[in-house]
Amino acid sequence: MLSCRICGGRLHEFIDFGQQPLSSGLLEPEYLGDEFFFRLAVGVCGDCTMVQLTEEVPRHLMFNSHYPYLSSGSSVMRRHFEETARHFLETELTGKDAFLVELGCNDGVMLRALAEAGVHHLGVEPSQSVADLARRQGIRVATEFFQESTAADIRKEEGHAQVIFAANTVCHIPYLDSIFRGVDELLAPDGVFVFEDPYLADIVDLASFDQIYDEHYYFFSVSSVSAMVERFGFELVDVERLSVHGGEVRYTIARAGRRTPAPAVAELLGQERRRGLSELATLQGFVARVERARDELVALLRRLRDEGRTVVGYGATAKSATVANYCGIGPDLISFISDTTPNKQGRLTPGSHIPVRSRADFENPYPDYAVLFAWNHAEEIIAKEQQFRASGGKWIRYVPDVRVL
């Protein structure tokens, strides 16, 4: 019997994507054959409703000096984090001794605005390469994993934090007991722990199965987050739905009894309850839509190949690893994936071994079709790539269903 990592309740597995590689484990061509694989399966806890992976990938394999993702790589995300920084400056960081700690600060895109405003800050980022990018912009960063011992060291040296913030980070961490003990150690008595992560309801509604990969260990709902934080002496006091990354929720956590919960918490809890978001029947319906998308995408790509059409991918994202390996898509169906990140170019995608090339290869010449793996940035990408459409090129989407634009 599988047990929930949060409460120890029984975990009911509802989808299995088979053997999957490290989602960010892009390969040098000469090192083919030396890959880590694990079983990517997901279950829901019958007690606390937390949806989670059934197998943990060692954190040092995912977050290390070669981590390729940059938070500032999208103009949409840059604006989002600049607005987040302004929000904190206007609401929580108003005193002269204000201090914010960001968990998983990546290249420092959010902290940069705080540094420019002269706010005491610290990023905690285990991936050396992106932490170095943040430091070069004058941002204070500790290169380590955040846990209880880390928090104790920060508090002794820096004092209590009015805000602890994390974006697309908390859902990555299986050992949340240590995280919350660390938050308890570091957070000021009236401070807030704010984190934003992909929202289970959006994943189910969009059938965005590519949100499920090694780095995303938990798939949060308001119900599961509320139950989780109560176990550690905290209370969910506000929620806000966000449009970024295909749909997220920003959760605001405070010490129990210190703040009055906003009406939005009860509203979203009620919505989840009425639709049965965490019930097996709902999640099995999601599985049926995922299997249909897999079959339709593969059939489309095979038909285009047999017709002699040129098909490439756009965006060598972590999400694309799940799509390619679950659907059995390789270089025979997608000749290469175009990506603007220099350290991804010249490598092969994990498991599926599709070459990753620069944007120059995308337009020289334009392909007939492009699979939009970075669909969560679709508006930004399509606006930038108008010449592709003008040349007769067509986008292929697979979320929320398979279609040619």
Side-chain angles (χ1 to χ4, degrees):
M1 186 181 75
L2 298 171
S3 299
C4 173
R5 281 293 295 261
I6 299 298
C7 75
R10 184 177 179 183
L11 202 61
H12 303 275
E13 183 178 305
F14 61 87
I15 192 167
D16 182 356
F17 291 94
Q19 293 296 303
Q20 291 276 341
L22 298 173
S23 60
S24 295
L26 295 162
L27 301 163
E28 298 280 4
E30 59 267 30
Y31 293 118
L32 277 181
D34 185 21
E35 288 185 83
F36 174 91
F37 285 87
F38 73 108
R39 190 174 80 95
L40 180 62
V42 189
V44 59
C45 177
D47 293 339
C48 74
T49 74
M50 183 66 77
V51 174
Q52 59 205 270
L53 299 188
T54 63
E55 187 171 324
E56 177 185 349
V57 175
R59 62 186 184 179
H60 69 276
L61 295 180
M62 297 182 287
F63 309 110
N64 49 47
S65 60
H66 306 297
Y67 191 62
Y69 177 76
L70 299 178
S71 296
S72 60
S74 158
S75 61
V76 170
M77 293 311 298
R78 288 195 299 273
R79 287 195 301 272
H80 170 72
F81 286 122
E82 288 165 0
E83 291 168 0
T84 300
R86 284 197 295 272
H87 166 74
F88 288 137
L89 288 169
E90 294 169 359
T91 58
E92 303 289 344
L93 302 174
T94 55
K96 61 182 179 62
D97 298 323
F99 177 36
L100 180 144
V101 175
E102 182 177 5
L103 315 184
C105 70
N106 198 264
D107 60 5
V109 62
M110 198 282 291
L111 290 178
R112 187 183 311 132
L114 299 185
E116 291 172 353
V119 172
H120 185 201
H121 67 275
L122 180 69
V124 182
E125 172 54 62
S127 300
Q128 184 72 51
S129 56
V130 291
D132 287 342
L133 290 175
R135 287 194 191 91
R136 287 199 284 271
Q137 300 175 73
I139 296 164
R140 300 178 66 243
V141 183
T143 307
E144 53 188 305
F145 289 98
F146 183 86
Q147 50 201 7
E148 186 177 8
S149 58
T150 315
D153 291 341
I154 295 172
R155 185 188 58 76
K156 289 175 185 176
E157 296 179 12
E158 313 270 357
H160 286 103
Q162 278 65 49
V163 178
I164 299 175
F165 175 68
N168 306 297
T169 297
V170 175
C171 73
H172 293 185
I173 306 171
Y175 53 95
L176 288 181
D177 51 347
S178 183
I179 296 297
F180 276 94
R181 287 196 297 270
V183 170
D184 189 34
E185 174 77 23
L186 179 59
L187 192 66
D190 60 346
V192 289
F193 176 30
V194 181
F195 59 92
E196 52 192 59
D197 284 295
Y199 184 33
L200 177 63
D202 288 314
I203 294 172
V204 170
D205 288 345
L206 295 174
S208 52
F209 65 96
D210 58 353
Q211 294 273 31
I212 301 171
Y213 53 93
D214 54 350
E215 294 178 16
H216 288 176
Y217 190 86
Y218 295 108
F219 303 91
F220 294 138
S221 64
V222 178
S223 171
S224 63
V225 167
S226 180
M228 172 180 69
V229 302
E230 286 179 10
R231 297 181 64 84
F232 300 107
F234 292 90
E235 185 176 13
L236 179 60
V237 297
D238 203 1
V239 290
E240 179 185 359
R241 296 194 71 166
L242 307 172
S243 61
V244 296
H245 286 312
E248 298 194 333
V249 167
R250 176 179 291 161
Y251 303 93
T252 300
I253 314 300
R255 298 185 189 280
R258 296 303 296 243
R259 300 196 181 197
T260 301
V265 176
E267 290 172 8
L268 266 184
L269 279 171
Q271 289 178 24
E272 292 179 0
R273 193 178 303 113
R274 287 190 294 273
R275 65 173 296 181
L277 178 60
S278 301
E279 294 176 5
L280 273 177
T282 302
L283 297 171
Q284 287 164 352
F286 162 77
V287 174
R289 293 177 63 201
V290 169
E291 291 173 343
R292 182 167 64 248
R294 174 197 61 194
D295 296 344
E296 291 179 357
L297 179 60
V298 172
L300 172 62
L301 293 177
R302 286 175 175 168
R303 177 174 64 80
L304 294 175
R305 177 195 60 190
D306 295 344
E307 292 174 356
R309 307 290 188 177
T310 55
V311 181
V312 307
Y314 197 103
T317 61
K319 299 193 300 295
S320 68
T322 296
V323 181
N325 288 279
Y326 176 59
C327 298
I329 296 170
D332 60 320
L333 295 177
I334 294 179
S335 56
F336 69 87
I337 298 178
S338 170
D339 198 283
T340 58
T341 307
N343 65 357
K344 292 183 181 182
Q345 297 162 6
R347 295 175 178 260
L348 303 176
T349 58
S352 54
H353 304 161
I354 302 171
V356 181
R357 298 181 184 170
S358 69
R359 186 187 171 282
D361 289 326
F362 177 68
E363 62 182 5
N364 187 30
Y366 284 117
D368 298 318
Y369 294 83
V371 179
L372 190 54
F373 287 121
W375 58 265
N376 50 313
H377 299 297
E379 184 176 346
E380 180 181 356
I381 291 169
I382 291 173
K384 182 176 71 174
E385 298 292 0
Q386 293 185 33
Q387 191 58 41
F388 168 59
R389 295 287 294 272
S391 72
K394 297 177 181 179
W395 296 103
I396 296 174
R397 292 284 301 266
Y398 54 87
V399 170
D401 47 47
V402 176
R403 62 192 188 278
V404 177
L405 302 186

